[in-house]
Each structure stands twice: as C-alpha cells, then as structure tokens.
Amino acid sequence: MRKNYIDNLRWLFILLLIPYHAAMAWNTWKEPNYIYFESSRIISSIVVFLSPYFMPLLFLIAGISTAFSLKKRTIIQYISERAKKLLIPFLIAVLLLMPPITYLADKFNYGYSGGFFQHYRIFFTRFTDLTGADGGFSAGHLWFLLYLFMISIAGSGMILLQKRIKTQYSKEIPLWFICILGIPLPVLSNLLSVGGKSLLEYLYLFLLGYYLFSEEKTAEKAEKHKWLFLIIGLSASVLNVYLFLWCNTPYSIINTAAKFTAEWFMLLALLGIGKSFFNFRTKVTAYISEISFAFYIFHYIWLILFQYLMSDWFKDNTVLLYLLPVILSYPTAFLCCEICKRIPFLSFLTGIKKQKSRSAN
C-alpha cells in the first residue's frame, strides 16, 4: 500500500525549492548563480539551514517509493517508468528551458547584448563550470532528475542482484543502529561528486530508503522518536549555520560534523513527523503530488525571469526583491503544470502521469 506521507513530504519540499533557490542570489560564498545581487548572511542562512537535508530527503523517500513500486512492477517496468518520468523530461527541459535561463544569466552577469536565439549557439558550445551563470551549457536544477534516474537504474540493479543471490538481511533494527547509519555520509559525500552532489551519497540514502525505511517497524521507530530527532537535527542545523556564516573563526571539523549530524537527524525527524501528521490524501494533495516533478522542472525559469525583471525596480529594497519573485513564481509554475497536464503530448514530455482516483482518507 502506498504511503501518503511519502508523497506529501516529496511535494512539500519541492515547493520549498522556490524560496531556497531565490536565496542563492545572495549567497556569501560566491557560488556562481544565474542572478547574483550581493552577499547577505541573513538570506544565505535559508540555504545553509536547508541544504544539508533538503535534497537527501528526496533521494531517501525515492528509495522508499521504489520498495512499494517494485511490489507491483517488474524491474523492466520500473525502469521504463523511471525513463518516462525522469529521463525524457530531463532531456526536453535541458534543450528547451535551460537556454532561456542561461540567456538571462549571461545578460545579467556579463552584459550579453546579443539576441535570444543567437544565444542558443553559446549555450551549446560554451562548456565552462557547467553552472550556466556565464551563459554556457548547464543542466542547472535538472541535475536532480538525471541523478535520480541514474540512481534508480543502479539501485534496481543492486536490488535484483541481492534477490538473485538471496542475501538475507534483518528488517528490524535497533534504534542505536538507525542513529549511526548517518556516519558514512561525510565520506560518501566526497565520492563521485560533481558540483558538491555525490552520486554515492544519494545512492546510499536511496538504498536505505528501499531496504530499511520502507519497513513499517523502522518507520514506527522514526515516528516514536521524532521529537528527539528533531531537537538534535535543529540544534545541529543552527550550529551549522552559525559556524559556516556567522562565526569569524573557522572550525571546519566541528562545522562538518554539525552539517552531517543535521542531515541525518533531520531526515529521521521529517520521516517521523510525516508519518504522524502528513499521512493523508485529499484532492489537493493528490493533485500537487501528481504534478510535483513538473513543478520542479518549471519553477526555476519563472523565478529567474522575475528576479531579472525586478532587479532594477527593487534594487534598493532587498525584502521585496526576495519576496516578490518567490510569490509570483508559484502561480506561474502551477499554471505551466496545469497546461501540460491537460495536453497529452506535453504531459508525456514533462513526466506527468495521471494517477488513479482514490477515496480521500
């Protein structure tokens, strides 16, 4: 049976991407961005607070979802579905949505004065840091779709191998063992990493989701101890923000420990909180869940466009310059999703799969 709280956690955090990505325009660590205004430690705190567990949560719950998916699908059917939902939308979005985003970035950051269609040649021929901030080629935020597809393929292969050799593993593990499962994360985060995004770290979380957190007894442990996990996770998150942004003395080892402690215990807390309070389904949650990946695809182009247009209007008002693009990006991204949902061809290209109606509970 499908776990509604997994679907709800997924779309809740995908919706949070807009304020998260908007804050990158003020990052203090000078990371290239499509639109960059100035350094702001206050706004950057949003990114640093969320980043340890933001994307890891999506890979962990992808593993959980896979466990339920493979109970009613073969591996071949599962891979085919992943290709339709992830790979095809990734390729289409890179070809059609990333060039306009990098065009705006080139105009804003480097004063590009050429035409929009002329810039397509630049996008497909300029390969630099792959961030797209200089107008060059980039997969941008779409890296998540590619990573999730690759990890789904690798993970399903490992699952198939495990089933064939009939390896036994314990489905019920003690609380202390759950707590120490985050220990490998600092090492894995540096392996097969591109732009700070590690394939091995996310594969590890995916497999933990599949083998352990899809089990009801493990999920119940996360639910039972959710407040303890939340206290630890929030404390580590605040310490991570302070050490990374606000402390003038570098404490790199402590900072790293705080970051990965925040990652693991916030993941545990969010799973427990989700199971306790978000394990329901309504017409609204079903709709948002259905179009969540399409929303992920569309949200960034609108955010960058609004930031670009408003950069002159509100250049002296940081609050409005941050909030207005965030507010306006939601309805426009949802509108794109609704249009695609209603047109079968666009629905296919954006990975929207109409779900079977079920009674709300």
Side-chain angles (χ1 to χ4, degrees), residues 309-342:
L309 293 175
M310 295 178 183
S311 59
D312 286 331
W313 305 345
F314 303 107
K315 60 183 178 182
D316 297 323
N317 192 325
T318 300
V319 174
L320 287 178
L321 190 53
Y322 175 75
L323 289 178
L324 285 180
V326 168
I327 294 170
L328 292 173
S329 295
Y330 280 103
T332 47
F334 273 119
L335 178 61
C336 288
C337 295
E338 181 62 20
I339 292 172
C340 290
K341 182 175 180 292
R342 291 173 179 272

PDB file of all heavy atoms in Angstrom, residues 309-342:
ATOM      1  N   LEU A 309      13.686  40.713 -14.054  1.00  0.00           N
ATOM      2  CA  LEU A 309      12.830  41.869 -14.347  1.00  0.00           C
ATOM      3  C   LEU A 309      12.777  42.850 -13.175  1.00  0.00           C
ATOM      4  O   LEU A 309      12.698  44.069 -13.381  1.00  0.00           O
ATOM      5  CB  LEU A 309      11.418  41.393 -14.697  1.00  0.00           C
ATOM      6  CG  LEU A 309      11.259  40.603 -15.999  1.00  0.00           C
ATOM      7  CD1 LEU A 309       9.837  40.094 -16.147  1.00  0.00           C
ATOM      8  CD2 LEU A 309      11.650  41.467 -17.201  1.00  0.00           C
ATOM      9  N   MET A 310      12.808  42.348 -11.970  1.00  0.00           N
ATOM     10  CA  MET A 310      12.641  43.193 -10.787  1.00  0.00           C
ATOM     11  C   MET A 310      13.949  43.703 -10.221  1.00  0.00           C
ATOM     12  O   MET A 310      13.952  44.453  -9.247  1.00  0.00           O
ATOM     13  CB  MET A 310      11.879  42.422  -9.706  1.00  0.00           C
ATOM     14  CG  MET A 310      10.459  42.083 -10.111  1.00  0.00           C
ATOM     15  SD  MET A 310       9.586  41.135  -8.843  1.00  0.00           S
ATOM     16  CE  MET A 310       8.017  40.846  -9.674  1.00  0.00           C
ATOM     17  N   SER A 311      15.063  43.308 -10.825  1.00  0.00           N
ATOM     18  CA  SER A 311      16.365  43.713 -10.293  1.00  0.00           C
ATOM     19  C   SER A 311      16.565  45.223 -10.334  1.00  0.00           C
ATOM     20  O   SER A 311      17.241  45.784  -9.461  1.00  0.00           O
ATOM     21  CB  SER A 311      17.488  43.019 -11.076  1.00  0.00           C
ATOM     22  OG  SER A 311      17.422  43.347 -12.458  1.00  0.00           O
ATOM     23  N   ASP A 312      15.977  45.903 -11.307  1.00  0.00           N
ATOM     24  CA  ASP A 312      16.069  47.365 -11.373  1.00  0.00           C
ATOM     25  C   ASP A 312      14.961  48.034 -10.573  1.00  0.00           C
ATOM     26  O   ASP A 312      15.167  49.071  -9.944  1.00  0.00           O
ATOM     27  CB  ASP A 312      15.997  47.841 -12.828  1.00  0.00           C
ATOM     28  CG  ASP A 312      17.279  47.558 -13.590  1.00  0.00           C
ATOM     29  OD1 ASP A 312      18.352  47.522 -12.945  1.00  0.00           O
ATOM     30  OD2 ASP A 312      17.206  47.367 -14.813  1.00  0.00           O
ATOM     31  N   TRP A 313      13.781  47.427 -10.555  1.00  0.00           N
ATOM     32  CA  TRP A 313      12.643  48.041  -9.871  1.00  0.00           C
ATOM     33  C   TRP A 313      12.844  48.101  -8.363  1.00  0.00           C
ATOM     34  O   TRP A 313      12.479  49.087  -7.718  1.00  0.00           O
ATOM     35  CB  TRP A 313      11.361  47.267 -10.171  1.00  0.00           C
ATOM     36  CG  TRP A 313      11.057  47.092 -11.620  1.00  0.00           C
ATOM     37  CD1 TRP A 313      11.617  47.771 -12.669  1.00  0.00           C
ATOM     38  CD2 TRP A 313      10.114  46.178 -12.200  1.00  0.00           C
ATOM     39  NE1 TRP A 313      11.099  47.339 -13.860  1.00  0.00           N
ATOM     40  CE2 TRP A 313      10.168  46.365 -13.608  1.00  0.00           C
ATOM     41  CE3 TRP A 313       9.243  45.237 -11.680  1.00  0.00           C
ATOM     42  CZ2 TRP A 313       9.381  45.628 -14.494  1.00  0.00           C
ATOM     43  CZ3 TRP A 313       8.440  44.499 -12.554  1.00  0.00           C
ATOM     44  CH2 TRP A 313       8.519  44.696 -13.940  1.00  0.00           C
ATOM     45  N   PHE A 314      13.432  47.050  -7.792  1.00  0.00           N
ATOM     46  CA  PHE A 314      13.545  46.967  -6.332  1.00  0.00           C
ATOM     47  C   PHE A 314      14.991  46.776  -5.869  1.00  0.00           C
ATOM     48  O   PHE A 314      15.250  46.132  -4.864  1.00  0.00           O
ATOM     49  CB  PHE A 314      12.688  45.801  -5.813  1.00  0.00           C
ATOM     50  CG  PHE A 314      11.242  45.890  -6.199  1.00  0.00           C
ATOM     51  CD1 PHE A 314      10.726  45.039  -7.161  1.00  0.00           C
ATOM     52  CD2 PHE A 314      10.402  46.826  -5.617  1.00  0.00           C
ATOM     53  CE1 PHE A 314       9.385  45.106  -7.537  1.00  0.00           C
ATOM     54  CE2 PHE A 314       9.073  46.909  -5.984  1.00  0.00           C
ATOM     55  CZ  PHE A 314       8.557  46.053  -6.935  1.00  0.00           C
ATOM     56  N   LYS A 315      15.911  47.360  -6.615  1.00  0.00           N
ATOM     57  CA  LYS A 315      17.321  47.141  -6.290  1.00  0.00           C
ATOM     58  C   LYS A 315      17.712  47.691  -4.926  1.00  0.00           C
ATOM     59  O   LYS A 315      18.704  47.248  -4.330  1.00  0.00           O
ATOM     60  CB  LYS A 315      18.216  47.749  -7.374  1.00  0.00           C
ATOM     61  CG  LYS A 315      18.061  49.248  -7.567  1.00  0.00           C
ATOM     62  CD  LYS A 315      18.946  49.727  -8.704  1.00  0.00           C
ATOM     63  CE  LYS A 315      18.777  51.224  -8.972  1.00  0.00           C
ATOM     64  NZ  LYS A 315      19.597  51.678 -10.116  1.00  0.00           N
ATOM     65  N   ASP A 316      16.942  48.637  -4.412  1.00  0.00           N
ATOM     66  CA  ASP A 316      17.236  49.199  -3.094  1.00  0.00           C
ATOM     67  C   ASP A 316      16.358  48.624  -1.998  1.00  0.00           C
ATOM     68  O   ASP A 316      16.398  49.074  -0.857  1.00  0.00           O
ATOM     69  CB  ASP A 316      17.076  50.728  -3.124  1.00  0.00           C
ATOM     70  CG  ASP A 316      18.069  51.396  -4.070  1.00  0.00           C
ATOM     71  OD1 ASP A 316      19.215  50.920  -4.136  1.00  0.00           O
ATOM     72  OD2 ASP A 316      17.679  52.370  -4.751  1.00  0.00           O
ATOM     73  N   ASN A 317      15.549  47.647  -2.342  1.00  0.00           N
ATOM     74  CA  ASN A 317      14.660  47.031  -1.365  1.00  0.00           C
ATOM     75  C   ASN A 317      14.840  45.507  -1.422  1.00  0.00           C
ATOM     76  O   ASN A 317      14.174  44.811  -2.181  1.00  0.00           O
ATOM     77  CB  ASN A 317      13.203  47.405  -1.656  1.00  0.00           C
ATOM     78  CG  ASN A 317      12.272  47.033  -0.514  1.00  0.00           C
ATOM     79  OD1 ASN A 317      12.458  46.031   0.160  1.00  0.00           O
ATOM     80  ND2 ASN A 317      11.258  47.865  -0.299  1.00  0.00           N
ATOM     81  N   THR A 318      15.748  45.013  -0.617  1.00  0.00           N
ATOM     82  CA  THR A 318      16.092  43.594  -0.651  1.00  0.00           C
ATOM     83  C   THR A 318      14.911  42.711  -0.283  1.00  0.00           C
ATOM     84  O   THR A 318      14.730  41.620  -0.855  1.00  0.00           O
ATOM     85  CB  THR A 318      17.264  43.310   0.301  1.00  0.00           C
ATOM     86  OG1 THR A 318      18.398  44.089  -0.103  1.00  0.00           O
ATOM     87  CG2 THR A 318      17.650  41.840   0.274  1.00  0.00           C
ATOM     88  N   VAL A 319      14.094  43.150   0.642  1.00  0.00           N
ATOM     89  CA  VAL A 319      12.958  42.340   1.085  1.00  0.00           C
ATOM     90  C   VAL A 319      12.000  42.076  -0.073  1.00  0.00           C
ATOM     91  O   VAL A 319      11.609  40.933  -0.334  1.00  0.00           O
ATOM     92  CB  VAL A 319      12.210  43.027   2.252  1.00  0.00           C
ATOM     93  CG1 VAL A 319      10.946  42.248   2.603  1.00  0.00           C
ATOM     94  CG2 VAL A 319      13.119  43.138   3.466  1.00  0.00           C
ATOM     95  N   LEU A 320      11.627  43.134  -0.801  1.00  0.00           N
ATOM     96  CA  LEU A 320      10.724  42.958  -1.943  1.00  0.00           C
ATOM     97  C   LEU A 320      11.398  42.195  -3.076  1.00  0.00           C
ATOM     98  O   LEU A 320      10.756  41.392  -3.757  1.00  0.00           O
ATOM     99  CB  LEU A 320      10.233  44.316  -2.448  1.00  0.00           C
ATOM    100  CG  LEU A 320       9.205  45.041  -1.573  1.00  0.00           C
ATOM    101  CD1 LEU A 320       8.846  46.391  -2.182  1.00  0.00           C
ATOM    102  CD2 LEU A 320       7.963  44.190  -1.383  1.00  0.00           C
ATOM    103  N   LEU A 321      12.683  42.443  -3.263  1.00  0.00           N
ATOM    104  CA  LEU A 321      13.410  41.769  -4.330  1.00  0.00           C
ATOM    105  C   LEU A 321      13.492  40.266  -4.066  1.00  0.00           C
ATOM    106  O   LEU A 321      13.557  39.469  -5.018  1.00  0.00           O
ATOM    107  CB  LEU A 321      14.815  42.354  -4.472  1.00  0.00           C
ATOM    108  CG  LEU A 321      15.641  41.936  -5.693  1.00  0.00           C
ATOM    109  CD1 LEU A 321      14.873  42.176  -6.988  1.00  0.00           C
ATOM    110  CD2 LEU A 321      16.957  42.692  -5.713  1.00  0.00           C
ATOM    111  N   TYR A 322      13.480  39.895  -2.816  1.00  0.00           N
ATOM    112  CA  TYR A 322      13.459  38.469  -2.492  1.00  0.00           C
ATOM    113  C   TYR A 322      12.039  37.912  -2.535  1.00  0.00           C
ATOM    114  O   TYR A 322      11.776  36.870  -3.154  1.00  0.00           O
ATOM    115  CB  TYR A 322      14.063  38.219  -1.106  1.00  0.00           C
ATOM    116  CG  TYR A 322      13.951  36.779  -0.672  1.00  0.00           C
ATOM    117  CD1 TYR A 322      14.781  35.790  -1.209  1.00  0.00           C
ATOM    118  CD2 TYR A 322      12.989  36.385   0.247  1.00  0.00           C
ATOM    119  CE1 TYR A 322      14.663  34.467  -0.838  1.00  0.00           C
ATOM    120  CE2 TYR A 322      12.860  35.052   0.625  1.00  0.00           C
ATOM    121  CZ  TYR A 322      13.702  34.101   0.092  1.00  0.00           C
ATOM    122  OH  TYR A 322      13.575  32.779   0.456  1.00  0.00           O
ATOM    123  N   LEU A 323      11.085  38.588  -1.907  1.00  0.00           N
ATOM    124  CA  LEU A 323       9.750  38.031  -1.715  1.00  0.00           C
ATOM    125  C   LEU A 323       8.894  38.017  -2.979  1.00  0.00           C
ATOM    126  O   LEU A 323       8.206  37.022  -3.252  1.00  0.00           O
ATOM    127  CB  LEU A 323       9.007  38.803  -0.618  1.00  0.00           C
ATOM    128  CG  LEU A 323       9.498  38.603   0.807  1.00  0.00           C
ATOM    129  CD1 LEU A 323       8.697  39.459   1.771  1.00  0.00           C
ATOM    130  CD2 LEU A 323       9.408  37.129   1.206  1.00  0.00           C
ATOM    131  N   LEU A 324       8.912  39.101  -3.776  1.00  0.00           N
ATOM    132  CA  LEU A 324       8.011  39.163  -4.926  1.00  0.00           C
ATOM    133  C   LEU A 324       8.282  38.081  -5.967  1.00  0.00           C
ATOM    134  O   LEU A 324       7.332  37.426  -6.442  1.00  0.00           O
ATOM    135  CB  LEU A 324       8.061  40.554  -5.548  1.00  0.00           C
ATOM    136  CG  LEU A 324       7.330  41.653  -4.759  1.00  0.00           C
ATOM    137  CD1 LEU A 324       7.451  42.992  -5.470  1.00  0.00           C
ATOM    138  CD2 LEU A 324       5.857  41.282  -4.575  1.00  0.00           C
ATOM    139  N   PRO A 325       9.535  37.846  -6.372  1.00  0.00           N
ATOM    140  CA  PRO A 325       9.755  36.736  -7.311  1.00  0.00           C
ATOM    141  C   PRO A 325       9.324  35.383  -6.744  1.00  0.00           C
ATOM    142  O   PRO A 325       8.815  34.533  -7.476  1.00  0.00           O
ATOM    143  CB  PRO A 325      11.272  36.776  -7.551  1.00  0.00           C
ATOM    144  CG  PRO A 325      11.641  38.203  -7.324  1.00  0.00           C
ATOM    145  CD  PRO A 325      10.773  38.638  -6.174  1.00  0.00           C
ATOM    146  N   VAL A 326       9.521  35.202  -5.434  1.00  0.00           N
ATOM    147  CA  VAL A 326       9.094  33.956  -4.805  1.00  0.00           C
ATOM    148  C   VAL A 326       7.580  33.798  -4.902  1.00  0.00           C
ATOM    149  O   VAL A 326       7.065  32.755  -5.330  1.00  0.00           O
ATOM    150  CB  VAL A 326       9.541  33.919  -3.319  1.00  0.00           C
ATOM    151  CG1 VAL A 326       8.856  32.774  -2.581  1.00  0.00           C
ATOM    152  CG2 VAL A 326      11.052  33.771  -3.223  1.00  0.00           C
ATOM    153  N   ILE A 327       6.859  34.840  -4.538  1.00  0.00           N
ATOM    154  CA  ILE A 327       5.394  34.790  -4.546  1.00  0.00           C
ATOM    155  C   ILE A 327       4.847  34.583  -5.955  1.00  0.00           C
ATOM    156  O   ILE A 327       3.939  33.776  -6.178  1.00  0.00           O
ATOM    157  CB  ILE A 327       4.821  36.075  -3.918  1.00  0.00           C
ATOM    158  CG1 ILE A 327       5.180  36.138  -2.424  1.00  0.00           C
ATOM    159  CG2 ILE A 327       3.306  36.147  -4.109  1.00  0.00           C
ATOM    160  CD1 ILE A 327       4.877  37.481  -1.781  1.00  0.00           C
ATOM    161  N   LEU A 328       5.401  35.296  -6.926  1.00  0.00           N
ATOM    162  CA  LEU A 328       4.887  35.220  -8.293  1.00  0.00           C
ATOM    163  C   LEU A 328       5.257  33.919  -8.997  1.00  0.00           C
ATOM    164  O   LEU A 328       4.568  33.491  -9.931  1.00  0.00           O
ATOM    165  CB  LEU A 328       5.408  36.402  -9.101  1.00  0.00           C
ATOM    166  CG  LEU A 328       4.877  37.782  -8.687  1.00  0.00           C
ATOM    167  CD1 LEU A 328       5.596  38.879  -9.453  1.00  0.00           C
ATOM    168  CD2 LEU A 328       3.374  37.855  -8.917  1.00  0.00           C
ATOM    169  N   SER A 329       6.325  33.276  -8.556  1.00  0.00           N
ATOM    170  CA  SER A 329       6.767  32.047  -9.224  1.00  0.00           C
ATOM    171  C   SER A 329       5.822  30.878  -8.980  1.00  0.00           C
ATOM    172  O   SER A 329       5.714  29.974  -9.826  1.00  0.00           O
ATOM    173  CB  SER A 329       8.180  31.668  -8.754  1.00  0.00           C
ATOM    174  OG  SER A 329       9.122  32.638  -9.161  1.00  0.00           O
ATOM    175  N   TYR A 330       5.123  30.883  -7.857  1.00  0.00           N
ATOM    176  CA  TYR A 330       4.224  29.763  -7.558  1.00  0.00           C
ATOM    177  C   TYR A 330       3.056  29.668  -8.547  1.00  0.00           C
ATOM    178  O   TYR A 330       2.862  28.613  -9.178  1.00  0.00           O
ATOM    179  CB  TYR A 330       3.715  29.854  -6.118  1.00  0.00           C
ATOM    180  CG  TYR A 330       4.707  29.359  -5.101  1.00  0.00           C
ATOM    181  CD1 TYR A 330       5.454  30.247  -4.328  1.00  0.00           C
ATOM    182  CD2 TYR A 330       4.916  27.996  -4.916  1.00  0.00           C
ATOM    183  CE1 TYR A 330       6.376  29.797  -3.400  1.00  0.00           C
ATOM    184  CE2 TYR A 330       5.837  27.529  -3.983  1.00  0.00           C
ATOM    185  CZ  TYR A 330       6.562  28.434  -3.231  1.00  0.00           C
ATOM    186  OH  TYR A 330       7.489  27.974  -2.311  1.00  0.00           O
ATOM    187  N   PRO A 331       2.259  30.727  -8.717  1.00  0.00           N
ATOM    188  CA  PRO A 331       1.125  30.583  -9.648  1.00  0.00           C
ATOM    189  C   PRO A 331       1.553  30.344 -11.086  1.00  0.00           C
ATOM    190  O   PRO A 331       0.882  29.604 -11.822  1.00  0.00           O
ATOM    191  CB  PRO A 331       0.358  31.903  -9.491  1.00  0.00           C
ATOM    192  CG  PRO A 331       1.339  32.873  -8.925  1.00  0.00           C
ATOM    193  CD  PRO A 331       2.252  32.053  -8.065  1.00  0.00           C
ATOM    194  N   THR A 332       2.656  30.959 -11.516  1.00  0.00           N
ATOM    195  CA  THR A 332       3.083  30.768 -12.902  1.00  0.00           C
ATOM    196  C   THR A 332       3.593  29.344 -13.144  1.00  0.00           C
ATOM    197  O   THR A 332       3.322  28.748 -14.193  1.00  0.00           O
ATOM    198  CB  THR A 332       4.177  31.787 -13.268  1.00  0.00           C
ATOM    199  OG1 THR A 332       5.178  31.823 -12.232  1.00  0.00           O
ATOM    200  CG2 THR A 332       3.596  33.174 -13.428  1.00  0.00           C
ATOM    201  N   ALA A 333       4.311  28.797 -12.165  1.00  0.00           N
ATOM    202  CA  ALA A 333       4.779  27.412 -12.303  1.00  0.00           C
ATOM    203  C   ALA A 333       3.599  26.448 -12.282  1.00  0.00           C
ATOM    204  O   ALA A 333       3.545  25.496 -13.068  1.00  0.00           O
ATOM    205  CB  ALA A 333       5.769  27.071 -11.197  1.00  0.00           C
ATOM    206  N   PHE A 334       2.637  26.688 -11.392  1.00  0.00           N
ATOM    207  CA  PHE A 334       1.447  25.842 -11.348  1.00  0.00           C
ATOM    208  C   PHE A 334       0.645  25.940 -12.646  1.00  0.00           C
ATOM    209  O   PHE A 334       0.082  24.943 -13.118  1.00  0.00           O
ATOM    210  CB  PHE A 334       0.559  26.224 -10.162  1.00  0.00           C
ATOM    211  CG  PHE A 334       0.924  25.530  -8.884  1.00  0.00           C
ATOM    212  CD1 PHE A 334       1.321  26.246  -7.766  1.00  0.00           C
ATOM    213  CD2 PHE A 334       0.869  24.145  -8.792  1.00  0.00           C
ATOM    214  CE1 PHE A 334       1.659  25.604  -6.586  1.00  0.00           C
ATOM    215  CE2 PHE A 334       1.201  23.485  -7.609  1.00  0.00           C
ATOM    216  CZ  PHE A 334       1.593  24.226  -6.502  1.00  0.00           C
ATOM    217  N   LEU A 335       0.595  27.141 -13.228  1.00  0.00           N
ATOM    218  CA  LEU A 335      -0.121  27.312 -14.487  1.00  0.00           C
ATOM    219  C   LEU A 335       0.520  26.474 -15.594  1.00  0.00           C
ATOM    220  O   LEU A 335      -0.176  25.823 -16.381  1.00  0.00           O
ATOM    221  CB  LEU A 335      -0.141  28.787 -14.886  1.00  0.00           C
ATOM    222  CG  LEU A 335      -0.828  29.123 -16.218  1.00  0.00           C
ATOM    223  CD1 LEU A 335      -2.300  28.704 -16.183  1.00  0.00           C
ATOM    224  CD2 LEU A 335      -0.695  30.613 -16.529  1.00  0.00           C
ATOM    225  N   CYS A 336       1.846  26.492 -15.656  1.00  0.00           N
ATOM    226  CA  CYS A 336       2.548  25.664 -16.645  1.00  0.00           C
ATOM    227  C   CYS A 336       2.225  24.184 -16.443  1.00  0.00           C
ATOM    228  O   CYS A 336       2.003  23.443 -17.415  1.00  0.00           O
ATOM    229  CB  CYS A 336       4.057  25.879 -16.527  1.00  0.00           C
ATOM    230  SG  CYS A 336       4.636  27.475 -17.132  1.00  0.00           S
ATOM    231  N   CYS A 337       2.203  23.759 -15.195  1.00  0.00           N
ATOM    232  CA  CYS A 337       1.887  22.361 -14.894  1.00  0.00           C
ATOM    233  C   CYS A 337       0.469  22.006 -15.329  1.00  0.00           C
ATOM    234  O   CYS A 337       0.236  20.929 -15.890  1.00  0.00           O
ATOM    235  CB  CYS A 337       2.051  22.093 -13.392  1.00  0.00           C
ATOM    236  SG  CYS A 337       3.739  22.249 -12.782  1.00  0.00           S
ATOM    237  N   GLU A 338      -0.462  22.921 -15.075  1.00  0.00           N
ATOM    238  CA  GLU A 338      -1.855  22.658 -15.425  1.00  0.00           C
ATOM    239  C   GLU A 338      -2.025  22.571 -16.940  1.00  0.00           C
ATOM    240  O   GLU A 338      -2.766  21.711 -17.446  1.00  0.00           O
ATOM    241  CB  GLU A 338      -2.748  23.760 -14.850  1.00  0.00           C
ATOM    242  CG  GLU A 338      -4.226  23.588 -15.116  1.00  0.00           C
ATOM    243  CD  GLU A 338      -4.805  22.326 -14.507  1.00  0.00           C
ATOM    244  OE1 GLU A 338      -4.205  21.763 -13.571  1.00  0.00           O
ATOM    245  OE2 GLU A 338      -5.884  21.903 -14.970  1.00  0.00           O
ATOM    246  N   ILE A 339      -1.344  23.447 -17.671  1.00  0.00           N
ATOM    247  CA  ILE A 339      -1.409  23.392 -19.135  1.00  0.00           C
ATOM    248  C   ILE A 339      -0.863  22.061 -19.643  1.00  0.00           C
ATOM    249  O   ILE A 339      -1.471  21.397 -20.491  1.00  0.00           O
ATOM    250  CB  ILE A 339      -0.628  24.577 -19.752  1.00  0.00           C
ATOM    251  CG1 ILE A 339      -1.341  25.896 -19.440  1.00  0.00           C
ATOM    252  CG2 ILE A 339      -0.476  24.383 -21.262  1.00  0.00           C
ATOM    253  CD1 ILE A 339      -0.545  27.125 -19.828  1.00  0.00           C
ATOM    254  N   CYS A 340       0.294  21.666 -19.115  1.00  0.00           N
ATOM    255  CA  CYS A 340       0.906  20.409 -19.543  1.00  0.00           C
ATOM    256  C   CYS A 340       0.041  19.213 -19.174  1.00  0.00           C
ATOM    257  O   CYS A 340      -0.052  18.240 -19.930  1.00  0.00           O
ATOM    258  CB  CYS A 340       2.293  20.262 -18.916  1.00  0.00           C
ATOM    259  SG  CYS A 340       3.507  21.420 -19.572  1.00  0.00           S
ATOM    260  N   LYS A 341      -0.590  19.284 -18.014  1.00  0.00           N
ATOM    261  CA  LYS A 341      -1.436  18.185 -17.556  1.00  0.00           C
ATOM    262  C   LYS A 341      -2.622  17.959 -18.495  1.00  0.00           C
ATOM    263  O   LYS A 341      -3.057  16.830 -18.697  1.00  0.00           O
ATOM    264  CB  LYS A 341      -1.929  18.490 -16.146  1.00  0.00           C
ATOM    265  CG  LYS A 341      -2.801  17.415 -15.499  1.00  0.00           C
ATOM    266  CD  LYS A 341      -3.116  17.814 -14.068  1.00  0.00           C
ATOM    267  CE  LYS A 341      -3.999  16.766 -13.389  1.00  0.00           C
ATOM    268  NZ  LYS A 341      -5.355  16.729 -13.971  1.00  0.00           N
ATOM    269  N   ARG A 342      -3.112  19.024 -19.085  1.00  0.00           N
ATOM    270  CA  ARG A 342      -4.304  18.942 -19.919  1.00  0.00           C
ATOM    271  C   ARG A 342      -4.001  18.576 -21.373  1.00  0.00           C
ATOM    272  O   ARG A 342      -4.906  18.266 -22.137  1.00  0.00           O
ATOM    273  CB  ARG A 342      -5.058  20.281 -19.877  1.00  0.00           C
ATOM    274  CG  ARG A 342      -5.691  20.561 -18.517  1.00  0.00           C
ATOM    275  CD  ARG A 342      -6.281  21.945 -18.455  1.00  0.00           C
ATOM    276  NE  ARG A 342      -6.907  22.194 -17.162  1.00  0.00           N
ATOM    277  CZ  ARG A 342      -8.166  21.905 -16.862  1.00  0.00           C
ATOM    278  NH1 ARG A 342      -8.942  21.354 -17.786  1.00  0.00           N
ATOM    279  NH2 ARG A 342      -8.655  22.156 -15.670  1.00  0.00           N
TER     280      ARG A 342
END
